[in-house]
Amino acid sequence: MDDVLVSMEGIDKSFPGVHALDNCRFELRAGEVHALVGENGAGKSTLMKILAGVYSKDAGRIVVHGREVEIHGPRAAQALGISMIHQELNLMPHLTVAQNVFIGREPRQTARAFLDENAINQATQQLFDMMRLKLDPRTKVADLTVAKQQMVEIAKALSYNSQVLIMDEPTAALTDAEIEELFTIIRQLRAKGVGIVHISHRLEELKQISDRITVMRDGRYINTVDTADISIEQIISMMVGRTIYESTPEVPENGDQETVLEVRHLQRGDELKDINFSLKKGEILGFAGLMGAGRTEVARAVFGADPVDAGEIFIQGKPVQLNSPKDAVRHGIGYLSEDRKRYGLALGMDVETNLVLASFRKFLGWLGWVDSKGTRATAEHYVEALAIKTPSLQQRVKNLSGGNQQKVVIGKWLTANTDILIFDEPTRGIDVGAKSEIYRLLNDLARQGKSIIMISSELPEILRMSHRVIVMCEGRITGELSAAEATQEAIMTLATQRTGMVEA
Ligand SMILES: Nc1ncnc2c1ncn2[C@@H]1O[C@H](COP(=O)(O)OP(=O)(O)OP(=O)(O)O)[C@@H](O)[C@H]1O
Ligand SMILES: [Mg+2]
C-alpha cells in the first residue's frame, strides 16, 4: 500500500541476558495514530528505539517510504523524518526551554558564531502558539513540572517537521485537560498526514485517539487490529495472555486509629497556603487535585526536601524538625517521588544497590562491613514480591523498562521499612497487571499498620484506594471527603474551587 510510511519486519534484538525482541513487526501508515501496547518489559520502547536509531537491530528489515534503510543513530532517523519522544524525558535541566528545543542546531546569526537567543526564543514561542501552550521559552527546564517538560519534548519533536512521530507514554504525567490539549495537537498532525506511534498504559485513551492498535507480549508481536473493532477487555487479554480479574473497588475498614502524622499551618509563599491535615495508623489518605495544585509540594515539605516559611509537623504527637530528607527518613517517613529519574533512582547503579539504598545502614556491620548476604537476600525478596523483570540483581537500573524502574523505587522504600510512606503517582507508567499488584501491596501495607499518603491524578485510583481523600486547589486544601462521600463529581468540584470562593 502506498500510504505506508514505515514497515518493520522480523526485528530481533538481544541485550545481555535478555531477548528483548523476537521476530517483531510493525507498520505505520500516513495519517494514522497507531497505538503500541503491552505489559512492562514487553519490548515497546526497544522496538521504537530501533526505529528512532537509538538501538541497532540484530536482525530484520526496516522500510521507510518504500525503501529499505539502515538507521545508524538518531540523526539518521531524523533525516528520514522520524522523531521520538522518550519515556524518560531527555531535557537538560540547567538550560532554558528554548535552548532545549534547539539544542545541537541553534540558528546562528550569520556574522557571529554564538547562538542567537532571540531567534530561538521566537521560534520556540511560535511552536508554543501553535500548540496553544502558555510557557515562557526563557524558563529553565529545572523549574518545570513533569507535565510541562513533556510539552517541551513534544514542541521539540514538532520543530523537526517529522513525518513519523513516536511518543513513548506521553500522557503518563498529564492531567485530563492537558491530555485533551495533546490529543488536539495529535489530531492536527494526523490530518496533515503525519504517522503517530502512541505508546500508553492508559487503555481507555486508546479508544479516543488511536486508529489501529498493535499488541506485544514478552518481546513478541501478537496482533494488529482496528481500534473500532475491539474492546478494552479484548486488548487486555491479548496483552497478558489471560483474562485479568478486576476486583471491585476495595476500601478496607479503618476505624478510629491513632494519629501518626499531623501537619499544622504549613505555609510556603504561594505554593502552600495554611495546610492542615492528619494521617492515621493504617490509613491510606488520598491526595487529589489538578496538576500544580500543590500536592507534590506538600509531600516534599513533609519529607524535608523543601524549606517552609511556617508550620509545625508532629509525629506520634511529638513536634519534629524536618530540615532534610535524612531527618524525615530518621523519623520514619519515606517518599516515592513522582519523578523517578531526578529523585528516586541511581540509574547507573544495579538493581540490588537501588533496592537497599534507603536502608543501607541496616546492612552495615562492625567496622562498616556491608552485609552483602543480607542485601542480596532482601533484594531477591523484593524482586520476587514486586515481580520486577530483570535478568539479574546486577543489572543496571537504567536498562530496565520504565515500569520496572518504577517498581524498583517502590521496593526501595519498602526495604527501608518506614512507618509513613508518601507515594506520589505510584502507578504512573505501570501496566494493568502490575497496577493491581501495587494496589494489593498498598492495601497489605495499610493492614500491617503502615500509614500511606497517596497522591494521584487518576480519580479511579483515588476512589478505589483511599480511606479518606484530601482535595487541593492552588496551594490550598479545599476539602476532605470520607470514602463514602468521595465521588468523581465531589472531588472535581473541590479540585476546581478557586481561591476566594472558599474564603469564609
Ligand atoms: N539498554 C538495555 N540493556 C539491557 N536490557 C534492556 C535495555 N533496554 C531494554 N532492555 C530490556 O528489554 C526488555 C524490553 O524493555 P522495553 O523497555 O522495550 O519494555 P517496554 O515494553 O517499553 O516496557 P514499559 O511499559 O515498562 O516501558 C526488558 O526486559 C528490558 O529490561
Ligand atoms: Mg517503555
Side-chain angles (χ1 to χ4, degrees):
M1 246 196 295
D2 57 0
D3 65 344
V4 173
L5 287 175
V6 171
S7 92
M8 303 175 82
E9 268 166 44
I11 306 291
D12 240 82
K13 178 72 183 172
S14 290
F15 299 105
V18 183
H19 194 176
L21 297 175
D22 179 3
N23 193 20
C24 278
R25 50 193 283 189
F26 185 75
E27 180 197 82
L28 183 67
R29 296 180 190 151
E32 80 164 334
V33 177
H34 196 141
L36 185 56
V37 301
E39 290 186 286
N40 295 134
K44 307 177 294 292
S45 297
T46 304
L47 185 66
M48 287 303 120
K49 280 179 184 168
I50 287 174
L51 184 56
V54 178
Y55 293 149
S56 56
K57 56 184 164 51
D58 297 342
R61 259 163 54 90
I62 303 178
V63 176
V64 177
H65 294 302
R67 221 160 38 86
E68 184 167 352
V69 290
E70 289 296 328
I71 305 177
H72 302 291
R75 275 175 193 264
Q78 251 144 27
L80 289 165
I82 301 168
S83 273
M84 176 161 179
I85 299 171
H86 291 279
Q87 187 169 9
E88 301 298 330
L89 302 178
N90 273 324
L91 301 172
M92 302 284 190
H94 56 286
L95 298 183
T96 70
V97 166
Q99 286 166 342
N100 266 285
V101 170
F102 283 97
I103 204 159
R105 47 162 187 147
E106 301 88 353
R108 283 159 205 274
Q109 281 189 340
T110 38
R112 283 185 280 164
F114 52 85
L115 63 102
D116 183 344
E117 284 294 324
N118 277 333
I120 64 169
N121 286 340
Q122 265 173 30
T124 307
Q125 189 60 56
Q126 276 167 13
L127 285 167
F128 288 172
D129 289 346
M130 190 183 100
M131 292 168 69
R132 271 174 279 161
L133 176 64
K134 284 198 199 72
L135 186 60
D136 186 340
R138 291 164 301 187
T139 320
K140 266 215 170 67
V141 162
D143 298 332
L144 299 181
T145 58
V146 180
K148 283 284 187 302
Q149 292 183 32
Q150 185 75 59
M151 292 297 192
V152 173
E153 287 272 19
I154 291 165
K156 185 171 171 176
L158 293 182
S159 72
Y160 282 99
N161 268 324
S162 305
Q163 270 254 282
V164 173
L165 184 60
I166 305 161
M167 304 209 217
D168 199 348
E169 298 194 34
T171 58
L174 306 189
T175 60
D176 289 348
E178 289 166 326
I179 291 173
E180 258 327 302
E181 279 171 37
L182 173 65
F183 284 180
T184 308
I185 294 165
I186 291 182
R187 290 191 186 104
Q188 283 170 13
L189 294 171
R190 169 168 66 187
K192 287 183 190 150
V194 175
I196 294 143
V197 183
H198 180 79
I199 302 179
S200 177
H201 289 294
R202 296 186 160 192
L203 300 179
E204 334 77 61
E205 76 185 25
L206 301 186
K207 278 275 169 195
Q208 237 179 305
I209 193 70
S210 73
D211 303 300
R212 287 196 296 167
I213 301 175
T214 287
V215 182
M216 293 178 70
R217 184 167 77 228
D218 293 332
R220 288 195 200 93
Y221 169 88
I222 301 297
N223 204 356
T224 300
V225 291
D226 286 334
T227 307
D229 300 342
I230 195 151
S231 70
I232 291 179
E233 289 70 34
Q234 287 170 306
I235 301 169
I236 293 177
S237 66
M238 279 199 277
M239 274 172 60
V240 300
R242 60 185 193 275
T243 317
I244 285 197
Y245 170 66
E246 263 290 308
S247 61
T248 45
E250 169 196 10
V251 178
E253 274 303 304
N254 185 262
D256 282 330
Q257 301 273 18
E258 65 191 277
T259 296
V260 292
L261 172 77
E262 180 145 11
V263 170
R264 282 194 209 150
H265 307 300
L266 211 60
Q267 189 82 30
R268 188 182 60 240
D270 251 2
E271 290 179 309
L272 298 177
K273 299 172 198 155
D274 195 24
I275 301 297
N276 292 283
F277 70 90
S278 64
L279 174 68
K280 295 185 177 139
K281 190 174 161 74
E283 177 178 52
I284 300 178
L285 180 63
F287 265 69
L290 304 177
M291 199 73 64
R295 297 165 300 162
T296 294
E297 284 71 17
V298 170
R300 291 180 52 86
V302 171
F303 190 57
D306 292 329
V308 291
D309 300 337
E312 292 170 299
I313 295 173
F314 299 84
I315 290 177
Q316 314 281 9
K318 291 195 200 72
V320 291
Q321 282 295 329
L322 305 174
N323 296 320
S324 68
K326 230 187 189 160
D327 288 348
V329 173
R330 202 150 28 85
H331 282 103
I333 303 177
Y335 175 46
L336 183 128
S337 139
E338 65 172 335
D339 187 348
R340 57 183 172 249
K341 194 168 180 181
R342 253 200 275 183
Y343 309 108
L345 290 171
L347 287 172
M349 296 200 199
D350 64 25
V351 172
E352 176 173 333
T353 309
N354 272 281
L355 280 172
V356 299
L357 214 54
S359 52
F360 209 65
R361 279 193 305 161
K362 256 197 330 217
F363 301 105
L364 281 182
W366 194 55
L367 291 179
W369 285 101
V370 178
D371 169 16
S372 54
K373 254 195 207 144
T375 58
R376 194 174 337 116
T378 302
E380 260 163 15
H381 172 77
Y382 284 101
V383 163
E384 198 183 300
L386 297 171
I388 296 171
K389 203 174 163 198
T390 176
S392 78
L393 294 178
Q394 274 64 55
Q395 180 75 305
R396 288 187 188 192
V397 165
K398 70 170 180 215
N399 291 336
L400 297 188
S401 79
N404 282 295
Q405 290 183 7
Q406 178 74 348
K407 291 187 190 175
V408 173
V409 188
I410 295 179
K412 168 181 145 178
W413 287 111
L414 294 183
T415 63
N417 203 18
T418 56
D419 290 330
I420 298 169
L421 283 160
I422 308 174
F423 286 89
D424 202 345
E425 306 287 357
T427 63
R428 176 180 295 165
I430 297 241
D431 71 51
V432 272
K435 229 179 208 174
S436 34
E437 281 167 39
I438 285 173
Y439 293 153
R440 205 186 50 224
L441 205 104
L442 290 179
N443 279 328
D444 286 350
L445 290 169
R447 249 181 252 116
Q448 289 161 24
K450 307 263 182 209
S451 307
I452 294 170
I453 292 176
M454 187 189 75
I455 300 171
S456 174
S457 296
E458 289 190 37
L459 282 184
E461 181 164 295
I462 289 273
L463 294 173
R464 171 179 178 159
M465 298 299 297
S466 316
H467 297 108
R468 254 186 323 141
V469 179
I470 285 183
V471 189
M472 291 188 68
C473 177
E474 296 184 337
R476 197 182 292 274
I477 290 179
T478 48
E480 185 189 310
L481 302 165
S482 67
E485 293 163 337
T487 60
Q488 200 128 336
E489 296 73 40
I491 292 175
M492 280 318 289
T493 307
L494 289 168
T496 50
Q497 196 155 67
R498 295 267 171 265
T499 321
M501 291 165 64
V502 285
E503 224 104 282

